[in-house]
Amino acid sequence: MKKRNCRKTTLEREQHDVAIRIRKMTDAQLCEYIDELERAAETTSTGPSVRIFFEALGRRTASGLRVSDATIRKLRTIAEEEGLLPREEA
């Protein structure tokens, strides 16, 4: 049975409005909307910054401190499993 509009939460109403707006788009508008989403995803991607962070961990600092290679490998594996870093093909 369909949920009555008066019983919908604010979030459900907002989601419904967005879904209606997307369904009513023309093909050109849909393509533009998808392109915008892809551009936004590319600019917010954390892959390069996380990779740079792991490279910085491997360098010895002026004080002589350094993170071991084994620890860096473990951290990189966790980051890949969590989706923070794209998997490297061997």
Side-chain angles (χ1 to χ4, degrees):
M1 185 173 203
K2 182 179 166 183
K3 190 172 191 178
R4 298 183 69 153
N5 193 35
C6 63
R7 304 216 189 273
K8 288 183 181 178
T9 65
T10 306
L11 176 63
E12 289 173 328
R13 283 191 193 109
E14 290 172 2
Q15 289 175 338
H16 180 72
D17 292 340
V18 170
I20 287 174
R21 192 169 4 110
I22 291 173
R23 280 195 300 263
K24 290 185 177 184
M25 287 182 179
T26 64
D27 289 347
Q29 289 172 326
L30 279 172
C31 290
E32 184 178 327
Y33 180 72
I34 291 171
D35 289 342
E36 285 179 23
L37 290 176
E38 288 175 351
R39 279 193 298 269
E42 288 172 359
T43 57
T44 59
S45 176
T46 58
S49 60
V50 173
R51 191 174 311 283
I52 291 169
F53 172 71
F54 282 118
E55 290 171 4
L57 285 177
R59 289 189 292 256
R60 191 173 299 275
T61 62
S63 63
L65 297 176
R66 184 177 167 276
V67 178
S68 72
D69 292 337
T71 303
I72 294 172
R73 274 195 303 276
K74 291 175 190 175
L75 291 171
R76 182 169 282 152
T77 303
I78 292 170
E80 288 174 353
E81 289 173 357
E82 294 294 322
L84 299 172
L85 188 66
R87 292 192 186 275
E88 292 182 3
E89 300 298 325

